[in-house]
Amino acid sequence: DETFDGVVLTPPVPQMLPLLGEAAASLDAPTRAALDGVEFSARYALSCFYGAEAAPMFARELDWVSRYVPKDEDDALVFLSHDSAKRGAATPPSLLAHTSVPFGLRHLRAGTPDADVQADLLVRLSKLLPWLPPPERVALHAWKNSQVRTPLELPGGAAALLGGGTTPPVVLTGDAFAPLGSRF
């Protein structure tokens, strides 16, 4: 059994509220309505993992660690990262691709199967980087709460909220509570 002086919660609000359990019920109606009004954008993240033999190709072809993809190059992919280089890892190369919010919302709302989204993104990635070999392993993540679109507005520009009069006190904070919202 652990004893704490306080608990700080920072996940996105839709993931935070279930963690509060009964304490969520003790929030006053305006506070609960404000929390329910926080909106997040959605997107997909595609991770591609390559074999060690691809490392020289990555070193030769990529002169960046990460870059934004302009809409005139692709209307779904917006950010690419040579993830293994970003971490300075001497491991086989990996590449991370983030989609646009409109692409993410469209496919999440339509219930597009992950396999179809993944296949579409792999085709788009190969058009942007035609030298890429097929990845050995791929992981697709539906990122339903990627960035705050409508943050919570607290009095005085506060960036945290004391939740529900619990003992120990629970402090609610994170991107949703920052007046400027998420910063990528």
Side-chain angles (χ1 to χ4, degrees):
D1 194 24
E2 300 283 337
T3 303
F4 299 94
D5 293 329
V7 176
V8 177
L9 293 177
T10 63
V13 172
Q15 295 167 348
M16 180 184 291
L17 291 174
L19 293 173
L20 289 173
E22 292 177 22
S26 66
L27 293 170
D28 61 69
T31 299
R32 179 58 192 243
L35 288 169
D36 288 337
V38 174
E39 293 180 13
F40 288 83
S41 61
R43 67 182 76 236
Y44 288 90
L46 178 73
S47 296
C48 298
F49 303 93
Y50 301 88
E53 69 283 352
M57 190 179 312
F58 272 74
R60 183 177 60 251
E61 297 290 338
L62 294 183
D63 61 353
W64 46 264
V65 173
S66 61
R67 79 173 185 101
Y68 286 98
V69 178
K71 283 185 182 181
D72 63 339
E73 287 185 39
D74 193 90
D75 64 348
L77 295 172
V78 295
F79 179 76
L80 301 177
S81 173
H82 179 189
D83 212 41
S84 50
K86 182 176 69 178
R87 292 189 317 269
T91 58
S94 61
L95 192 67
L96 177 66
H98 287 184
T99 69
S100 68
V101 171
F103 178 92
L105 287 174
R106 182 173 61 252
H107 288 287
L108 285 166
R109 288 178 178 157
T112 306
D114 284 354
D116 293 349
V117 172
Q118 180 175 304
D120 181 15
L121 295 177
L122 287 170
V123 167
R124 291 169 179 274
L125 192 57
S126 69
K127 286 180 182 175
L128 285 172
L129 305 172
W131 55 268
L132 270 179
E136 287 186 359
R137 191 168 52 92
V138 177
L140 180 72
H141 176 70
W143 197 4
K144 296 176 183 174
N145 300 303
S146 71
Q147 286 180 289
V148 176
R149 293 176 61 92
T150 308
L152 185 67
E153 292 187 30
L154 296 173
L161 182 67
L162 192 58
T166 62
T167 302
V170 176
V171 178
L172 312 179
T173 191
D175 287 354
F177 298 84
L180 299 176
S182 298
R183 292 293 171 250
F184 189 52

